[in-house]
Amino acid sequence: MAPLAVLISLVCATLAAGAAGVRVELTRMHSGPGVTASQFVREALRRDMLRHNARRLAASDDGTVSAPTRMNSPSGIEEYLMTLAIGTPPVHYPAIVDTGSDLIWTQCAPCSDQCFKQPSPLYNPASSTTFGLLPCGSPLSMCEEAAAPGCSCPYNSYNQTYGKGWTAGVQGTETFTFGSTPADQTRVPNITFGCSNASSSGDWNGSSGLVGLGRGAVSLVSQLGAGRFSYCLTPFQDTNSTSTLLLGPSASLDGITGVGSTPFVASPATAPMNTYYYLNLTGISLGTMALSIPPKAFSLKADGTGGLIIDSGTTITLMANAAYQKVRAAVVSLVTLPTSADGSAATGFDLCYALPSPTSAPPAMPSMTLHFDGADMVLPSDSYMMQDSGVWCLAMQNQTDGEVNILGNYQQQNMHILYDVRHETLSFAPAECSTL
């Protein structure tokens, strides 16, 4: 889900009439003890590939909706976690936050032997005075979607696939509590969520479920009526500063200079593509060099193939091979360092260079500009090149032409990004995210 290791703890009141919105602090938990950046990257790329394979499967099989899983990882890499409380009395649980899916779910008691270990107690609907099964025929029922085979009313069952993981259960309604202290806590009733009684047995280190922030009706963004949300991710190498996620009116770029805005492209109607945030990427430049990328490399086709999405849950940008090869060639034309096959093997990247020593600074490189419909996103070299122990790599990957292109969050670092769902636009501006 995320290349940055982050723990999200909610620190102010949730949405209410006239309220400023929800502010979420993102605290980086970079990796496990002794984990090198190369190991971190390889694990992040592995999880990106699992997630991308799930997207591919979901596009061809109506039975799946994709999202990142957090399987047991030797590197100790984390995801974005949001701490919520469910029920009356409230039970706290940490959940992966995902802009590429919709369903909010947690593991529930009784849970079969097909459940993963979690750090918090299982939520028990029988112990809550505010739990209810989602009524049959509810507009938020996943049984209304072809993406949920085996649904049966009145239980509104679901079975969701996430990479190599999965979860299954029934939809219910509950009171969710937002806030870290009694003074700022707000309780929101009748949130629709998934109560999972079976999940893949892999260890989802530190998580008890997932919170979807996608475009669909069951996502947290939609159910809160937030209208918009924003985040600002601190640099990859900054393991101390906190990032910020805002939901609701407080999510704004007002007063910030250098803001660019581009409209979302209408998503295909079929799952899982209907939950993604698509953008129209019209070209790429490296410095003053406009790359001769075929326009169709980023075009979204009527059948849902192609296109480009922005995803906080994918680490490294994935682009069609026709585009990637142009980017790669442009980098090669500017760098005179020797290439490093060992570095490529260690990081999992396709193009790496050997620096003179582990402490050597890489040569200066021009910014890379992503030309969107109506706005340019300028990436400094640190946002598309990655340095680690004397190796310097292009932090992007190629994939088969025609598949979904993904703008990963390594490329989003030090960028304040606003999703205005109500007005169907994405706005962004360069920022020192550690100071927000």
Side-chain angles (χ1 to χ4, degrees), residues 137-354:
S138 166
L140 298 185
S141 171
M142 295 179 64
C143 285
E144 302 299 318
E145 301 180 7
C151 283
S152 58
C153 281
Y155 300 110
N156 287 320
S157 60
Y158 60 86
N159 189 332
Q160 297 240 38
T161 299
Y162 300 89
K164 287 189 175 180
W166 56 270
T167 190
V170 297
Q171 284 180 279
T173 61
E174 249 305 3
T175 295
F176 277 54
T177 301
F178 301 86
S180 58
T181 65
D184 65 21
Q185 284 180 346
T186 299
R187 290 167 61 81
V188 181
N190 299 319
I191 295 289
T192 295
F193 76 112
C195 191
S196 291
N197 300 114
S199 303
S200 55
S201 58
D203 186 356
W204 293 32
N205 299 332
S207 167
S208 300
L210 185 145
V211 174
L213 295 178
R215 298 170 65 101
V218 298
S219 77
L220 183 63
V221 173
S222 298
Q223 291 196 59
L224 292 180
R228 62 193 185 194
F229 66 95
S230 69
Y231 54 72
C232 195
L233 302 177
T234 56
F236 179 82
Q237 282 78 15
D238 183 352
T239 60
N240 298 314
S241 301
T242 59
S243 304
T244 303
L245 169 69
L246 300 170
L247 288 161
S250 56
S252 172
L253 299 184
D254 292 346
I256 298 177
T257 59
V259 176
S261 297
T262 184
F264 289 127
V265 176
S267 302
T270 55
M273 289 83 76
N274 57 355
T275 195
Y276 301 150
Y277 296 98
Y278 283 89
L279 302 172
N280 183 20
L281 180 61
T282 60
I284 300 176
S285 297
L286 190 59
T288 59
M289 185 191 325
L291 308 186
S292 56
I293 297 172
K296 65 179 182 180
F298 303 118
S299 61
L300 178 61
K301 301 175 180 60
D303 63 358
T305 59
L308 176 134
I309 65 173
I310 180 170
D311 184 10
S312 67
T314 295
T315 304
I316 302 301
T317 290
L318 299 171
M319 63 176 64
N321 188 60
Y324 172 81
Q325 294 302 333
K326 296 294 184 180
V327 172
R328 187 185 192 280
V331 172
V332 169
S333 71
L334 295 175
V335 179
T336 58
L337 294 170
T339 57
S340 172
D342 290 343
S344 298
T347 61
F349 289 127
D350 169 63
L351 178 62
C352 289
Y353 294 95

Side-chain angles (χ1 to χ4, degrees), residues 16-66:
V22 174
R23 178 184 177 88
V24 178
E25 295 297 329
L26 312 181
T27 303
R28 182 190 298 273
M29 296 169 60
H30 185 70
S31 60
V35 176
T36 67
S38 295
Q39 291 171 317
F40 177 87
V41 170
R42 284 188 62 83
E43 177 61 17
L45 292 175
R46 182 189 70 83
R47 290 181 296 114
D48 283 354
M49 288 300 101
L50 290 178
R51 186 178 190 196
H52 187 59
N53 290 338
R55 282 196 173 108
R56 185 186 301 124
L57 175 63
S60 61
D61 180 351
D62 287 340
T64 55
V65 175
S66 69

